[in-house]
Amino acid sequence: MTSDLLHQILRRRAGAFCLVVLILFYVAAFFAPLLAPYATSDQDLTKTYHPPTGVVWQEGRLAVRLYKLVDPTCAKYEAEPGQFAPIHFWVKAPTYHFLGFIPVSHRLFGVEAPARLYLLGSDETGRDVFSRLLYGSRVSLTIGLIGILITTVIGLTVGGLAGYFGGVFDSVAMRGTELIMAIPGLYLIIALRAALAKYFDDSDQIFILIVVILSFIGWAGTARVIRGLTLSLRNRPFIYAAEALGQGPVTILWKHLFPNLFSYLIVTSMLSIPGYILGEAALSFLGIGIQEPSTSWGLMLSQVQDLKVFMLNFWWLLTPGLAIFITVILFNVLGDVVRDIVDPKLKTQV
Amino acid sequence: MPSLRLTVLNSLFRGVAITLAALLIPACSPRQKLKREFPPLPKDVDIITKPPGRYGGIYINVDPGGGPNTFNYLVAEDATSMGAIGTVLEGLVRRNSLTEEIIPGLAKSWEVSPDNKTYTFHLREGVKWSDGAPFSADDVVFTFACIYDERFPNRHASDYSIDGKPFKVEKMDNLTVRFITPDIYAPFLEMVGGGPILPKHALQKFADNGTLMKAWNIGTHPREIVSTGMFRIASFKPGERLVYEPNPHYWRADNTGQRLPYLDLYITKFVRDQNASLAAFATGQSDSEGITPDNVEWVRRGEKAHNYTVHERGPSTVCNFLWFNQNPEKDKSGKPFVEPYKLKWFQDVRFRQAVSHGINREGIIKGVLFGRGTPLWGPETPANTKWFNPDLQKYPYSPEKARELLKLAGFRWNEAGELFDSAENRVSFTLNTNQENPIRQHMATVFKENMKDLGIEVKLQLLDFGTFVKKIGESYDYECGMLGLTGGGDPVGGMSVYLSSGRMHEWYPNQKKPATAWEARIDELMMKQLKTLNLAERKKYWFEVQRIMSEQLPFIYLITPNSYEGVKNRWENVEIPKSGGITWNLDEYYLK
Amino acid sequence: MKTYILRRLLLMIPMLLGVSLLVFVLVYISPGNYLDALKAQRDIPAEFIAKKERELGLDRPWYVQYVSWLGRTVRGDFGESWSYRIPVAELLAQRAPATLALSLTSLVFAWAIAVPLGVFAAVYRNSIFDKLSALSAYAALSIPEFFLALLAVIFASQWGVFPTGGLSSIDHDYLSPVGQLWDYVHHLILPTIVLGIGGAAGLMRVMRTNMLDVIQSEYVMTARAKGVPENVIMFRHVLRNAINPLVTSLGFAFSGLLSGAVLVENVMNYPGLGQLIFQAFMRKDRDVVMAAVIIGSSMLIIGNLIADILLAWVDPRIRYDK
């Protein structure tokens, strides 16, 4: 079924394009430590708000221009004519444990210090925006995947069991979902965030907290729909047949009901990922999302909500916004394509 | 910057709207509402020395604090509310922000008894509240009765007492009030004399029925909020703006007998963030604006187009510092607040000094603040000209010095450059700060990198304000904290910080007995400066406290951003002080 | 139908109890309380803080606090804001009209844009216009709301035609009634667009799909075959039937009337409820937070009910009486 779906997606131009670009994004996020010329925390206080370094072909190899800070009061840099630093490939760098256990002591490309390579400029403490974007994508791109994973698992379990068993379990579960859905989302998020923050000290754990909170809001809707679908499938002959064969409820749910819900799940998953990405960005923007020294697109974007970025034209600091925008569009388009393939009758949801 | 075409478009837009409005309904002219009354000047009018100005003009100010929460002096806890109250209610004395002198306010003069414990104030004769009711000694007595009233718990009661004993406030006659303090209280004039005086005739009924704390809230009709200040409130729209109009009974005038203020209206617009207020100023929609260092450059570019000037005021009064938790006590379960081996580092002054030498303050200033900041070496920032001690021990950025000090203190490095103490513990600690302040966040990330260069591992933990306050003030389960305090003013404001028994003696608060000799010395000095009225002596004591703080480094001071103020060029008599609000003499402003 | 509505309304009571308990506990267990800001000031004595704690009842166990809060609330008293020292109801009433106005204008804006665009996109299916509008809908749905709001503020400050925030201008009190009205409108334009654009994009997509469904339905084919003029078909049959399903979304719109503009209000300096409530959350001004949650939840529940009723109204096949 999955390979069939993939095949159909690839047959459509829009679907293929979105899928390929998204996969590229994920690959880049996965190999971020290798691709990024610098670590996220590498600062250079003499090169803050550095514009993107120009890349030129110089003496038979790629090189970057060197810049001079001509006016420190407004971070104005000018390229020094005739000054270049060659770009080296597969350069030695401080050792980093890829995936936590593979020691890597090289990066794909870089320039020799003290020159710095800023493909997308630098931020207020001279950190490389390009590297931070790559590392930040790990948070922003996975938050949706982990989020839907959690909501789907909880939603399937609760909704499936409620629909299958009915009775007291059903009403308790449904009142629970109604309770969550009866609180305006943002209020609940803020309250949860404030209440739970103390259990997630480390800045890496904040990521988990954000996912947990967003999933906590999200599972209720999934559970209700799953329950409805299960209810409608519950009385189909094939379920009765399975029961007659003596299969337990868990087996029946797993073997007979869930495959029938697959198409629904894949579509809603695709279409709800943007919600997580935008949710993380909004939380970070309000200052209650991902925290330094971790990085995410939302956090990077929240750090530029400042007039000077526009007035002094530090446009490269807006690239995280562009990254969010593009990713969300890709997911939306892909979601629509998948929906058209899987279930053309499903109406576009508001 | 709006191009010509857009400006034309804009004026067209407005023009259409105004024509529409004018055609349909005869507009009531704003002029009518701005008519001023001129009752006779009080007998003891305060004549200003500056040359006379002329009436007219609207002064607009945008406040990013979101507006006052209350107009009740006993309730107000935030700066915006206090600012609004200060505009309306005058104190017995005032402070000239420029010279930092105490000058007469509602009292024209005062004497201090030889034992330095009795103050007699002579009130101005003929002063009236903005509603025409006479101002008298009864108002002063009433004010202090309210502050000390148990039914109305407020933050001022303890400021106005010594060791829990309140001041005695007596009415001698209608225009004379006497204060008797239980002990010598150095900052009396500034703290007590400057406090606003409440109107007895307007508030007595609320005090009688016990609802004083609910009076003068943001729903109260502006006319009920009577004033002795330069302005009274004309209208207030919560979340939007506060409009002041001249107080017709104000007690200052120029030498031609024109009653101040010259302004027709003073309007404060409220917004929620710095961006909006900055945008308003940079597009010429407001008359003054505090500007952060990173925005100075582009705001300056609009100086010609919108006819304003960005003035440099020098270092601000915000003091940023970090400190190590030196609390040796244990929590309820018997677990020490700080790991004993880490406590040993934190209590070692050489470790603290090494850390201070390792911080690249100049780098933060150059990089993050566009070169517009000042490194700090002690508790006062240079903005507090009266109390700042420039002669302190300094710790310029020098990783070499830092390493030397660490070596002296018995630390050593492994091959990878990581730092270990003499008991082979890796030197690593967690820095906590609150997440709301961007500049502090940058300082924290720079600190982390700087410490990495020394082989010290710093973990950053940004907390929300509530969690942070609880950690440093109640549960003490942290290793290192970073905070910014707005300082300035009299050293008496720092009693809770510098006394070892103090609540905000962050590195080890609420001590029963001073833990170290130097803390004992600070305790002694702080008490001494409180119990003398001799300024030179007080300075001597406070300077020594600053010196000790800079040597012992319980707080490692970081930087203060410089402060800038943009003001429209059309105003005469703008006098920008080193610290504090620039509108302190707004009554003297007039249009050039 | 009546009994159904009554039953749903009665169900609200346990629901609101649960909501209030949940949020109350969350606020209680989050570290710190309203007095944090005071505690961080260096010249506030500890005794004063303790006194305030007693005065606000914060020294009592949480269930005692909850019960006393609940007791007051069921009597219709939302309590007093700790930072403003005025009744919460009064405070919320001061700000509610601004938010209500913004929500309504953005709703109208969304419909006014979405319906015609959706119709055109469906009628001229696969044309350049259809593709462009689909693309802009994707774009509108993909841009973070707060970022759009930020861009709007910058745009306003650069261009100067629109105000950079607020509800009315400084000279508002001195304008004629028409001028005052225009002043409000002028201040509403940008926030309305920012808040409404996402909804417009969503609605437009639904409208287009609905239109296509109806156009391809049998009775439209029949009408065409019978020679009914095309514009009559479009306006009398297709449009009406395509809009009907959208009507139910009005119920959901009702849910968010007071709580849906928090982000936009905060970024664009629009002095409405959202700003106030966000601030109350940050300051832990508990009674304001609780009142906001209760009101928000009630409106959400009622909104869902309205949506269900509207659904039954537009679609006669749906019956709620058992």
Side-chain angles (χ1 to χ4, degrees):
Chain A
M1 187 159 188
T2 327
S3 63
D4 184 41
L5 180 66
L6 197 65
H7 204 73
Q8 292 213 45
I9 293 175
L10 290 177
R11 281 223 325 255
R12 298 172 195 227
R13 233 184 325 158
F17 177 77
C18 292
L19 194 64
V20 168
V21 177
L22 277 175
I23 287 173
L24 278 180
F25 277 20
Y26 277 93
V27 169
F30 187 76
F31 291 108
L34 233 64
L35 295 174
Y38 302 99
T40 49
S41 56
D42 278 357
Q43 301 176 333
D44 187 342
L45 290 172
T46 60
K47 294 191 176 69
T48 55
Y49 299 108
H50 197 288
T53 43
V55 177
V56 287
W57 189 257
Q58 185 72 21
E59 291 161 9
R61 63 192 304 179
L62 279 174
V64 291
R65 285 182 182 285
L66 294 183
Y67 290 75
K68 204 172 82 194
L69 182 59
V70 289
D71 185 357
T73 60
C74 60
K76 196 169 159 221
Y77 293 81
E78 257 170 28
E80 293 191 82
Q83 298 267 24
F84 302 96
I87 295 180
H88 299 285
F89 287 90
W90 204 243
V91 289
K92 196 129 178 61
T95 310
Y96 171 87
H97 288 271
F98 187 51
L99 298 179
F101 61 92
I102 310 169
V104 177
S105 56
H106 287 82
R107 294 177 196 278
L108 192 60
F109 58 92
V111 296
E112 240 163 82
R116 291 199 45 150
L117 170 65
Y118 290 124
L119 285 181
L120 288 174
S122 79
D123 70 1
E124 52 282 289
T125 50
R127 299 178 295 193
D128 178 30
V129 172
F130 177 71
S131 303
R132 286 176 65 77
L133 261 186
L134 276 175
Y135 280 99
S137 69
R138 299 181 132 198
V139 167
S140 300
L141 291 176
T142 47
I143 207 154
L145 293 191
I146 301 179
I148 52 161
L149 196 71
I150 298 176
T151 48
T152 312
V153 169
I154 301 180
L156 266 182
T157 320
V158 176
L161 291 177
Y164 186 81
F165 287 117
V168 182
F169 182 82
D170 183 26
S171 20
V172 171
M174 285 309 104
R175 293 302 88 74
T177 57
E178 278 165 20
L179 188 71
I180 290 168
M181 292 167 79
I183 307 176
L186 194 60
Y187 296 176
L188 188 55
I189 290 176
I190 296 174
L192 279 171
R193 164 70 219 243
L196 300 180
K198 62 178 164 184
Y199 305 109
F200 299 82
D201 293 339
D202 209 31
S203 73
D204 295 332
Q205 293 172 358
I206 296 279
F207 167 68
I208 300 168
L209 173 66
I210 304 295
V211 179
V212 167
I213 290 176
L214 291 175
S215 317
F216 183 78
I217 311 282
W219 73 270
T222 317
R224 290 182 73 84
V225 178
I226 297 287
R227 170 184 171 270
L229 292 174
T230 313
L231 265 182
S232 66
L233 292 172
R234 175 77 181 80
N235 296 323
R236 293 275 190 80
F238 67 92
I239 301 290
Y240 288 131
E243 273 178 340
L245 285 172
Q247 290 180 343
V250 176
T251 325
I252 294 180
L253 277 177
W254 183 248
K255 280 205 162 159
H256 302 289
L257 283 177
F258 292 171
N260 282 292
L261 302 175
F262 179 77
S263 58
Y264 164 77
L265 286 176
I266 195 101
V267 173
T268 48
S269 300
M270 282 290 175
L271 290 174
S272 56
I273 287 178
Y276 287 91
I277 298 175
L278 294 175
E280 183 270 320
L283 285 185
S284 295
F285 184 79
L286 288 174
I288 53 180
I290 304 292
Q291 298 294 341
E292 290 276 359
S294 296
T295 174
S296 78
W297 291 348
L299 178 69
M300 291 172 77
L301 191 56
S302 77
Q303 287 171 339
V304 301
Q305 47 173 314
D306 210 346
L307 279 176
K308 69 165 177 289
V309 171
F310 296 86
M311 299 302 183
L312 295 177
N313 206 9
F314 300 146
W315 55 269
W316 54 91
L317 292 176
L318 297 174
T319 46
L322 193 68
I324 293 176
F325 181 67
I326 292 176
T327 311
V328 171
I329 282 205
L330 291 174
F331 269 112
N332 274 331
V333 174
L334 188 62
D336 281 355
V337 169
V338 172
R339 188 196 46 226
D340 287 346
I341 295 169
V342 171
D343 190 357
K345 289 192 297 285
L346 263 181
K347 290 265 171 67
T348 310
Q349 283 159 339
V350 180
Chain B
M1 298 305 111
S3 69
L4 180 67
R5 193 165 55 85
L6 297 180
T7 320
V8 170
L9 211 70
N10 186 11
S11 48
L12 261 178
F13 209 65
R14 290 241 167 107
V16 171
I18 291 165
T19 340
L20 262 176
L23 278 178
L24 290 170
I25 287 158
C28 49
S29 146
R31 283 281 135 219
Q32 273 174 347
K33 289 212 177 177
L34 299 180
K35 212 166 78 183
R36 298 176 59 153
E37 315 151 51
F38 293 101
L41 294 171
K43 182 164 169 276
D44 280 332
V45 63
D46 185 24
I47 302 288
I48 62 167
T49 49
K50 295 199 176 79
R54 56 194 174 84
Y55 285 121
I58 299 175
Y59 190 90
I60 299 167
N61 175 32
V62 182
D63 177 4
N69 295 338
T70 178
F71 297 107
N72 189 325
Y73 176 57
L74 300 182
V75 176
E77 273 150 18
D78 61 309
T80 313
S81 306
M82 285 307 251
I85 293 166
T87 308
V88 177
L89 296 179
E90 202 59 69
L92 294 175
V93 299
R94 311 178 358 132
R95 190 166 154 271
N96 181 324
S97 294
L98 218 54
T99 61
E100 310 215 19
E101 283 167 335
I102 302 292
I103 51 173
L106 289 171
K108 62 181 174 192
S109 63
W110 57 89
E111 297 104 45
V112 190
S113 68
D115 69 351
N116 286 338
K117 290 185 192 170
T118 305
Y119 297 77
T120 312
F121 290 93
H122 304 283
L123 309 183
R124 286 180 198 279
E125 198 178 337
V127 172
K128 286 184 172 138
W129 291 91
S130 58
D131 60 354
F135 166 78
S136 77
D138 288 326
D139 293 312
V140 183
V141 175
F142 170 78
T143 302
F144 283 85
C146 291
I147 288 170
Y148 292 133
D149 196 323
E150 282 293 317
R151 290 175 300 165
F152 315 129
N154 64 81
R155 58 181 287 182
H156 311 293
S158 65
D159 282 349
Y160 294 174
S161 354
I162 301 174
D163 302 328
K165 277 177 274 178
F167 307 145
K168 218 184 274 165
V169 189
E170 290 167 349
K171 169 183 173 182
M172 308 302 288
D173 63 48
N174 228 356
L175 292 175
T176 316
V177 205
R178 194 168 74 184
F179 289 76
I180 302 169
T181 60
D183 200 346
I184 295 178
Y185 187 61
F188 182 89
L189 271 185
E190 234 170 288
M191 299 277 291
V192 185
I197 300 300
L198 307 174
K200 185 180 182 193
H201 69 285
L203 292 174
Q204 177 81 60
K205 55 177 186 279
F206 300 111
D208 287 344
N209 65 18
T211 60
L212 186 60
M213 298 302 269
K214 294 186 201 291
W216 283 22
N217 61 44
I218 54 166
T220 304
H221 190 276
R223 272 289 168 274
E224 286 174 33
I225 300 174
V226 296
S227 147
T228 46
M230 47 183 112
F231 293 103
R232 64 177 174 187
I233 298 170
S235 74
F236 174 53
K237 297 210 163 141
E240 284 203 79
R241 66 183 162 271
L242 178 56
V243 180
Y244 299 96
E245 59 189 7
N247 171 4
H249 292 281
Y250 190 50
W251 43 271
R252 298 187 81 200
D254 63 24
N255 60 17
T256 61
Q258 290 190 103
R259 190 190 294 263
L260 303 187
Y262 297 115
L263 294 176
D264 278 338
L265 288 175
Y266 167 37
I267 300 174
T268 311
K269 265 177 81 166
F270 308 124
V271 294
R272 266 279 165 237
D273 72 348
Q274 200 82 48
N275 271 339
S277 65
L278 203 53
F281 179 75
T283 50
Q285 296 171 48
S286 68
D287 285 285
S288 62
E289 171 76 16
I291 298 163
T292 51
D294 47 339
N295 287 309
V296 168
E297 195 53 38
W298 70 264
V299 176
R300 274 205 173 130
R301 291 180 192 166
E303 279 184 335
K304 278 232 170 65
H306 295 288
N307 206 19
Y308 56 71
T309 309
V310 177
H311 303 270
E312 166 149 15
R313 303 174 69 184
S316 71
T317 55
V318 181
C319 177
N320 291 295
F321 56 92
L322 64 87
W323 73 97
F324 293 105
N325 187 355
Q326 299 186 38
N327 197 330
E329 292 172 21
K330 297 182 168 83
D331 65 13
K332 273 182 226 130
S333 64
K335 200 176 138 244
F337 293 126
V338 185
E339 294 268 4
Y341 73 93
K342 290 191 179 180
L343 187 66
K344 242 171 80 190
W345 315 332
F346 299 161
Q347 287 180 336
D348 190 333
V349 66
R350 289 168 299 187
F351 177 77
R352 301 196 295 266
Q353 290 178 336
V355 167
S356 189
H357 267 304
I359 300 171
N360 186 357
R361 296 178 179 80
E362 286 300 328
I364 303 178
I365 291 168
K366 276 205 188 97
V368 181
L369 297 176
F370 296 81
R372 300 193 166 98
T374 309
L376 287 181
W377 311 110
E380 290 290 0
T381 80
N384 197 356
T385 39
K386 190 167 160 191
W387 297 104
F388 170 68
N389 181 359
D391 178 30
L392 298 176
Q393 186 161 335
K394 300 184 171 105
Y395 303 87
Y397 179 51
S398 164
E400 300 75 39
K401 273 233 177 74
R403 283 165 186 276
E404 243 166 67
L405 282 162
L406 287 171
K407 223 179 274 167
L408 270 179
F411 293 89
R412 51 163 210 85
W413 290 266
N414 68 2
E415 309 82 63
E418 293 165 334
L419 189 67
F420 288 83
D421 70 2
S422 49
E424 298 303 309
N425 295 302
R426 171 94 165 92
V427 180
S428 158
F429 57 84
T430 303
L431 170 70
N432 287 130
T433 187
N434 62 316
Q435 61 202 20
E436 286 86 359
N437 185 313
I439 288 190
R440 209 172 306 142
Q441 279 194 22
H442 294 321
M443 283 191 264
T445 56
V446 171
F447 177 67
K448 180 184 153 90
E449 292 299 299
N450 286 165
M451 290 301 107
K452 204 164 127 194
D453 294 343
L454 295 182
I456 299 174
E457 181 191 38
V458 180
K459 294 178 193 125
L460 273 192
Q461 199 180 45
L462 302 180
L463 305 166
D464 61 63
F465 193 60
T467 316
F468 185 55
V469 169
K470 194 163 180 178
K471 257 194 197 304
I472 64 176
E474 280 172 41
S475 57
Y476 309 129
D477 54 337
Y478 70 99
E479 294 170 344
C480 177
M482 187 187 281
L483 195 65
L485 286 180
T486 307
D490 197 279
V492 74
M495 292 302 276
S496 67
V497 179
Y498 302 106
L499 286 186
S500 59
S501 58
R503 186 174 63 83
M504 306 220 20
H505 193 72
E506 307 293 5
W507 65 94
Y508 180 14
N510 308 320
Q511 298 176 24
K512 307 237 160 38
K513 237 171 52 196
T516 60
W518 57 266
E519 283 174 276
R521 176 66 183 157
I522 291 181
D523 284 0
E524 188 192 336
L525 291 165
M526 288 306 285
M527 289 322 286
K528 271 190 173 162
Q529 66 82 23
L530 189 64
K531 297 281 160 76
T532 172
L533 294 194
N534 182 330
L535 184 63
E537 250 178 79
R538 291 191 72 201
K539 260 190 168 161
K540 200 181 84 198
Y541 298 139
W542 177 233
F543 274 29
E544 193 184 332
V545 172
Q546 294 180 51
R547 178 88 207 163
I548 296 173
M549 290 296 285
S550 77
E551 285 163 4
Q552 295 297 333
L553 286 185
F555 288 162
I556 296 172
Y557 298 96
L558 301 168
I559 55 160
T560 188
N562 290 352
S563 105
Y564 296 81
E565 189 80 28
V567 189
K568 280 243 166 112
N569 298 332
R570 58 189 184 139
W571 298 105
E572 195 61 66
N573 281 341
V574 175
E575 292 177 340
I576 300 176
K578 279 268 187 196
S579 62
I582 71 146
T583 52
W584 66 279
N585 66 335
L586 195 57
D587 50 354
E588 296 167 352
Y589 279 31
Y590 65 88
L591 286 172
K592 273 177 188 166
Chain C
M1 195 74 184
K2 248 186 216 149
T3 51
Y4 171 78
I5 294 175
L6 201 69
R7 203 163 50 90
R8 288 274 301 254
L9 286 177
L10 277 179
L11 261 177
M12 256 179 86
I13 296 170
M15 199 58 82
L16 286 180
L17 268 179
V19 167
S20 66
L21 188 65
L22 177 65
V23 176
F24 199 96
V25 170
L26 285 178
V27 172
Y28 179 80
I29 62 172
S30 61
N33 58 29
Y34 172 70
L35 300 175
D36 290 341
L38 270 188
K39 284 180 195 161
Q41 288 182 32
R42 58 179 195 172
D43 52 349
I44 303 282
E47 311 90 68
F48 176 60
I49 291 170
K51 212 186 256 176
K52 284 287 272 194
E53 211 147 55
R54 273 198 304 281
E55 187 203 341
L56 303 181
L58 287 169
D59 54 337
R60 292 177 296 167
W62 72 268
Y63 45 87
V64 179
Q65 293 184 38
Y66 178 70
V67 169
S68 91
W69 173 85
L70 191 65
R72 260 192 294 108
T73 307
V74 292
R75 287 198 302 271
D77 175 8
F78 276 135
E80 192 182 73
S81 158
W82 292 337
S83 47
Y84 291 92
R85 284 300 180 137
I86 62 169
V88 173
E90 203 178 301
L91 189 65
L92 296 184
Q94 268 177 1
R95 301 292 191 98
T99 298
L100 209 57
L102 175 58
S103 300
L104 288 175
T105 52
S106 62
L107 191 65
V108 171
F109 169 79
W111 277 71
I113 296 238
V115 172
L117 281 187
V119 170
F120 278 117
V123 171
Y124 303 102
R125 203 182 164 189
N126 291 333
S127 67
I128 272 286
F129 174 80
D130 185 22
K131 293 207 169 111
L132 270 182
S133 70
L135 203 68
S136 5
Y138 277 126
L141 287 173
S142 305
I143 190 159
E145 195 179 50
F146 66 84
F147 191 55
L148 195 62
L150 188 67
L151 291 180
V153 173
I154 306 245
F155 165 78
S157 68
Q158 293 253 350
W159 194 25
V161 168
F162 292 106
T164 49
L167 185 63
S168 57
S169 24
I170 280 174
D171 50 357
H172 183 84
D173 294 339
Y174 306 113
L175 297 173
S176 65
V178 174
Q180 289 189 346
L181 186 70
W182 169 249
D183 191 41
Y184 283 134
V185 172
H186 191 199
H187 281 79
L188 266 169
I189 293 175
L190 276 186
T192 296
I193 294 175
V194 170
L195 188 62
I197 209 148
L203 272 178
M204 193 211 93
R205 279 160 41 109
V206 182
M207 188 68 208
R208 177 177 173 276
T209 322
N210 288 347
M211 279 292 285
L212 287 178
D213 276 358
V214 182
I215 290 175
Q216 287 153 1
S217 68
E218 284 172 20
Y219 63 88
V220 172
M221 305 263 188
T222 321
R224 276 220 177 100
K226 277 161 86 181
V228 179
E230 190 67 9
N231 54 354
V232 175
I233 293 183
M234 275 300 162
F235 285 99
R236 188 164 300 163
H237 302 287
V238 179
L239 194 55
R240 269 178 65 180
N241 284 304
I243 282 186
N244 271 348
L246 275 189
V247 171
T248 56
S249 78
L250 283 178
F252 301 115
F254 176 83
S255 311
L257 277 187
L258 291 181
S259 57
V262 176
L263 277 172
V264 171
E265 283 185 10
N266 273 294
V267 181
M268 302 194 73
N269 280 297
Y270 187 83
L273 269 186
Q275 235 186 33
L276 183 82
I277 290 167
F278 184 69
Q279 209 58 33
F281 264 105
M282 292 295 122
R283 280 195 204 155
K284 306 209 172 71
D285 194 345
R286 193 196 61 208
D287 285 3
V288 180
V289 167
M290 290 306 294
V293 168
I294 292 296
I295 293 172
S297 295
S298 310
M299 292 192 57
L300 210 75
I301 298 173
I302 294 174
N304 285 340
L305 176 59
I306 294 178
D308 287 347
I309 296 169
L310 287 174
L311 192 64
W313 182 61
V314 297
D315 188 346
R317 283 170 303 181
I318 296 173
R319 288 252 164 270
Y320 290 120
D321 314 273
K322 282 199 178 144

